[in-house]
Amino acid sequence: METVLSGIRSTGNLHLGNYFGAIKNFIKMQHENRCYFFIADYHSLTTHPTPEDLHQNVKQVLVEYLAAGIDPEVATLYIQSDVPEVAELYLLLSMNAYMGELERCTTFKEKARKQPDNINAGLLTYPVLMAADILIHKAHKVPVGKDQEQHLEMARTFGNRFNRLYKTDYFPEPVAFNFGVELIKIPGLDGSTKMGKSEGEGNAIYLADDEKVIRKKIMRAVSDSGPTEMNQPKSQPIENLFNIMNVVSSPDTVAHFEALYNKCEIRYGDMKKQLAEDVIAFTAPLRERILEIGADDAYLSKVARMGAEKARESASKTIKEVREIIGFKPF
Ligand code: TYM
């Protein structure tokens, strides 16, 4: 049986990118594999949240995972900081991670540009912590979006390096996984190529957004002045709208607007209205469950406790074995 693991940073509500990049694939896999899904709250410290925000965000992500369909009875659903073994593996792996490779990491360079006043060591070693998350359960498959591809490559590097150094085959090679074969990247509504939590206002559609907000965001999405020639290549913002439509609408709907675009007869207002309705049809049941589960503190606390227990069982076994491999042995 294969082990599957994925996680999401607790830095805000989940958006369509998180859902289609990671959660959807995970949900499909949870019944057939040994599955771990966690909330990366240690990772969120790189941006220095207040204690109140940290706690609230972890709760919100937990609620939204459950609402999206992760089943805590079959998958191990846990909060990263409930499993301190992860921090120990992070320390051990960081001894074999080199400055040069960490500095070259695209996400580090991006973050350093975005928060020039807070380029902390945690940002630099972020891929090491992520490797620890994955290797602590010896995961084989990691459902993630395209933006995490380089991090997965680094996780493989650190695992393989450990194996070579200690002449073992202890860690399997984790691969980024998507059922569609290609990893996906859901674009933003602001014309940018990525939907993301840290992008500007109006970029992302959140699972918890209500109908009014969704309509407003989509009607205001960036577009262009329309095609002037038959079969004209699409501009980035229009490509984005079609890409979002591809994941929430029926193939017939997409084909209908594609044909109109190619004939130069498209009215973006109509396309956006349809897109908004299809997004709402997709998110409305989720939103309902988010509100329901969010009000059930006793259930959430039970889920978190159960997840921590199961995750620690697997993590402590790994740490015990890794310590022995490295040469830490009791006298
Ligand atoms: P995070 O929190 O930025 O995103 C969580 C997951 O959502 C995916 N995702 C997207 N997929 C498609 N299109 C988008 N626009 C989009 N935006 C986000 C991400 O690829 C990711 O799968 N470093 C991770 C969290 C993490 C993790 C891990 C993931 C920490 N340790 C171990 C897997 C395994 C992150 O910041 O993802």
Side-chain angles (χ1 to χ4, degrees):
M1 195 195 272
E2 286 195 306
T3 300
V4 178
L5 171 134
S6 198
I8 293 186
R9 247 174 326 143
S10 55
T11 43
N13 292 12
L14 303 186
H15 52 67
L16 290 182
N18 299 137
Y19 184 85
F20 288 103
I23 299 177
K24 183 176 174 212
N25 283 292
F26 186 88
I27 289 170
K28 278 209 226 170
M29 303 167 95
Q30 64 184 349
H31 294 280
E32 279 93 51
N33 301 276
R34 193 180 310 109
C35 281
Y36 295 89
F37 212 106
F38 77 101
I39 299 169
D41 57 348
Y42 281 150
H43 278 96
S44 77
L45 295 181
T46 56
T47 54
H48 297 178
T50 63
E52 294 74 26
D53 284 349
L54 178 87
H55 185 72
Q56 184 49 38
N57 282 338
V58 170
K59 177 180 171 186
Q60 192 60 25
V61 175
L62 179 61
V63 168
E64 295 188 5
Y65 276 170
L66 292 164
I70 293 180
D71 181 347
E73 299 291 337
V74 293
T76 299
L77 175 54
Y78 66 99
I79 298 159
Q80 187 183 32
S81 62
D82 279 341
V83 184
E85 289 80 4
V86 170
E88 181 167 349
L89 186 58
Y90 163 61
L91 177 143
L92 298 172
L93 292 173
S94 71
M95 304 301 167
N96 308 328
Y98 297 108
M99 282 295 283
E101 62 192 344
L102 296 174
E103 279 168 347
R104 275 194 304 277
C105 180
T106 325
T107 44
F108 171 67
K109 287 194 272 192
E110 232 170 68
K111 287 279 179 209
R113 208 173 37 242
K114 271 195 192 152
Q115 50 183 78
D117 299 329
N118 182 19
I119 308 178
N120 56 68
L123 278 182
L124 184 71
T125 57
Y126 188 106
V128 186
L129 180 53
M130 185 157 158
D133 295 327
I134 297 168
L135 298 175
I136 198 84
H137 301 298
K138 302 173 80 178
H140 303 98
K141 285 185 177 154
V142 186
V144 283
K146 179 113 187 110
D147 58 311
Q148 298 297 318
E149 206 168 24
Q150 194 182 21
H151 285 156
L152 257 293
E153 197 182 313
M154 293 174 87
R156 281 194 291 280
T157 301
F158 299 141
N160 284 335
R161 195 173 285 156
F162 178 95
N163 287 351
R164 262 200 316 279
L165 191 63
Y166 297 107
K167 300 186 178 46
T168 164
D169 57 1
Y170 187 70
F171 289 123
E173 273 203 336
V175 292
F177 184 80
N178 184 294
F179 275 107
V181 183
E182 291 272 318
L183 298 181
I184 67 159
K185 181 157 129 181
I186 303 293
L189 293 174
D190 57 356
S192 70
T193 57
K194 189 184 165 203
M195 186 173 284
K197 293 178 267 222
S198 48
E199 311 306 317
E201 195 43 37
N203 160 290
I205 301 167
Y206 295 99
L207 303 184
D209 279 348
D210 68 25
E211 296 188 12
K212 239 172 87 194
V213 169
I214 292 173
R215 284 202 189 93
K216 197 158 114 191
K217 282 183 180 171
I218 294 181
M219 295 317 284
R220 285 189 183 164
V222 177
S223 61
D224 62 19
S225 51
T228 51
E229 281 169 38
M230 304 283 266
N231 301 316
Q232 188 174 310
K234 298 186 187 88
S235 65
Q236 188 64 56
I238 300 306
E239 184 74 39
N240 290 355
L241 292 179
F242 273 100
N243 282 344
I244 299 174
M245 195 169 234
N246 255 320
V247 291
V248 292
S249 305
S250 73
D252 286 352
T253 305
V254 180
H256 169 73
F257 287 102
E258 285 276 0
L260 289 176
Y261 180 90
N262 287 332
K263 287 188 288 185
C264 299
E265 286 170 13
I266 193 159
R267 293 197 341 215
Y268 292 141
D270 292 346
M271 179 182 177
K272 286 178 172 178
K273 265 192 207 134
Q274 180 67 48
L275 181 60
E277 292 321 304
D278 291 344
V279 168
I280 290 166
F282 172 75
T283 55
L286 277 170
R287 190 178 131 74
E288 223 169 87
R289 285 202 296 275
I290 290 172
L291 296 174
E292 203 178 296
I293 297 169
D296 195 346
D297 282 339
Y299 175 62
L300 293 173
S301 142
K302 186 181 132 207
V303 166
R305 239 180 305 122
M306 188 168 76
E309 203 174 293
K310 285 197 279 177
R312 284 199 80 175
E313 204 178 297
S314 149
S316 55
K317 180 169 181 289
T318 303
I319 278 296
K320 183 171 172 286
E321 290 165 354
V322 164
R323 278 173 154 265
E324 273 165 23
I325 291 171
I326 293 179
F328 293 114
K329 286 184 187 155
F331 285 100

